[in-house]
């Protein structure tokens, strides 16, 4: 398995899928093993996916200093990967929480980003979280689903009052709750580093005014991608995120949740491949 050294000496692994021009992929979770991304529904037929295992996840080493799990500290790891790959500029895709890492990287290294795709990424780095009402409004779109009546009251209590996550909520994160979605969701706990996830967005991770100012000058084309049924981000929040960038477009995948390549791989691949191939 290919690997490289981060600036602090932590050995980081990455996985290659497909052939062609590299597309560096940053996983979400936060801090979930990149295995959950698979080949992004077949996107590897169009690009050579470089799937990074963030430090402390998958085949990457745990760092000596757990404070380096913080999102802004991971930017140096992404830059080290670019240098290791020998890329002058790179196409970059961040999913979910990985979108905030991608934004921080683009803000700090704008000259190294050729194209940027933010896939169902709640823009924590811009201090634009998905609200409780956002998530509940999206959840209500599922009221005709057979599992809705049992799941929604518990989901609403959890969002308003906190407490432990209940597996009954999981279908709200997928646009289509079937065997494939259930199998994908079942791997979440074993693929996630909970300690790292807690530190990822901890105090000091984000500087929204500085990030907004930097991204307002980013020349690279940006795709902000949302699922029609996703609560974070909802399509309206995706449009607000796009407004931060000077050269951004929005895609809303019909019937999709937080993992659009699981819900409709063909739609997802067509739209993302179109974005990364345009102008090339």
């Amino acid at each position: 398995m290919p690997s490289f050294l981060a600036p602090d000496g932590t050995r980081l692994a990455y996985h290659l899928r497909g052939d062609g021009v590299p597309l560096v992929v940053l996983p979400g979770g936060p801090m979930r093993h990149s295995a959950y991304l698979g080949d992004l529904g077949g996107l590897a037929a169009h690009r050579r996916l470089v799937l990074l295992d963030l430090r402390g996840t998958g085949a990457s080493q745990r760092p000596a200093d757990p404070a380096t799990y913080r999102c802004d500290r991971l930017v140096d790891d992404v830059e080290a990967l670019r240098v290791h790959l020998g890329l002058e500029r790179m196409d970059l895709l961040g999913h979910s929480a990985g979108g905030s890492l991608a934004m921080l990287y683009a803000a700090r290294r704008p000259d190294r980003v050729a194209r940027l795709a933010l896939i169902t990424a709640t823009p924590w780095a811009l201090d634009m979280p998905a609200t409780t009402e956002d998530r509940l409004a999206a959840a209500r779109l599922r009221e005709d689903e057979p599992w809705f009546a049992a799941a929604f009251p518990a989901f609403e209590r959890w969002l308003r009052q906190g407490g432990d996550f209940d597996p009954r909520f999981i279908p709200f994160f997928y646009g289509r709750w079937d065997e494939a979605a259930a199998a994908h969701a079942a791997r979440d706990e074993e693929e996630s580093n909970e300690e790292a996830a807690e530190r990822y967005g901890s105090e000091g991770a984000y500087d929204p005014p500085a990030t907004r100012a930097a991204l307002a000058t980013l020349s690279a084309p940006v795709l902000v991608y949302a699922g029609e049924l996703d609560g974070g981000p909802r399509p309206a929040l995706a449009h607000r995120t796009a407004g931060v960038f000077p050269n951004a477009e929005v895609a809303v995948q019909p019937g999709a949740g937080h993992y659009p390549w699981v819900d409709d791989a063909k739609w997802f691949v067509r739209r993302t491949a179109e974005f990364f191939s345009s102008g090339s």
Side-chain angles (χ1 to χ4, degrees):
M1 182 180 303
S3 66
F4 64 100
L5 288 178
D8 67 350
T10 304
R11 182 159 292 279
L12 305 179
Y14 60 95
H15 308 263
L16 299 173
R17 304 279 187 272
D19 297 301
V21 178
L23 170 58
V24 174
V25 180
L26 306 180
M31 303 305 283
R32 185 173 175 182
H33 180 353
S34 68
Y36 83 94
L37 296 161
D39 67 353
L40 286 174
L43 187 59
H46 301 266
R47 299 296 295 265
R48 185 170 179 80
L49 304 184
V50 182
L51 302 153
L52 176 62
D53 284 346
L54 299 174
R55 54 181 53 217
T57 71
S60 289
Q61 287 184 338
R62 290 177 177 262
D65 181 5
T68 61
Y69 287 134
R70 208 173 70 179
C71 186
D72 60 319
R73 304 284 292 275
L74 300 177
V75 171
D76 288 338
D77 293 352
V78 179
E79 173 62 2
L81 174 58
R82 181 195 66 78
V83 173
H84 169 76
L85 295 172
L87 299 174
E88 183 68 21
R89 300 169 73 226
M90 62 181 175
D91 287 340
L92 189 61
L93 182 153
H95 172 247
S96 190
S100 282
L101 175 55
M103 282 186 268
L104 292 187
Y105 180 84
R108 194 182 302 177
R109 302 278 186 172
D111 56 323
R112 299 304 187 184
V113 178
R115 287 182 174 269
L116 170 64
L118 303 172
I119 307 299
T120 59
T122 297
W124 299 104
L126 304 176
D127 194 25
M128 293 165 58
T131 67
T132 292
E133 295 309 317
D134 283 339
R135 295 189 180 278
L136 291 176
R140 291 187 184 100
L141 297 174
R142 316 300 295 280
E143 61 184 357
D144 292 333
E145 302 277 358
W147 45 265
F148 178 87
F152 184 80
F155 188 51
E156 183 173 22
R157 282 196 301 274
W158 178 68
L159 288 171
R160 296 194 186 282
Q161 302 173 20
D164 293 334
F165 187 88
D166 188 320
R168 288 180 294 176
F169 308 159
I170 295 174
F172 288 120
F173 294 88
Y174 292 84
R176 186 181 65 236
W177 186 242
D178 56 13
E179 289 185 6
H184 185 266
R187 306 199 312 263
D188 178 76
E189 186 172 351
E190 67 184 59
E191 292 177 347
S192 299
N193 181 331
E194 293 187 7
E195 177 194 6
E198 290 178 358
R199 292 180 179 269
Y200 187 84
S202 58
E203 184 176 359
Y206 307 126
D207 183 350
T211 301
R212 283 172 174 269
L215 295 179
T217 65
L218 181 70
S219 61
V222 177
L223 174 66
V224 183
Y225 199 106
E228 179 187 24
L229 303 178
D230 191 15
R234 295 198 75 198
L237 181 52
H239 281 279
R240 287 174 53 210
T241 302
V244 171
F245 300 91
N247 186 15
E249 59 187 275
V250 176
V252 179
Q253 181 172 322
H258 201 60
Y259 305 93
W261 67 92
V262 176
D263 295 321
D264 186 340
K266 186 175 181 179
W267 206 101
F268 175 80
V269 169
R270 179 187 61 78
R271 188 63 183 86
T272 51
E274 176 185 80
F275 170 72
F276 280 112
S277 64
S278 61
S280 60

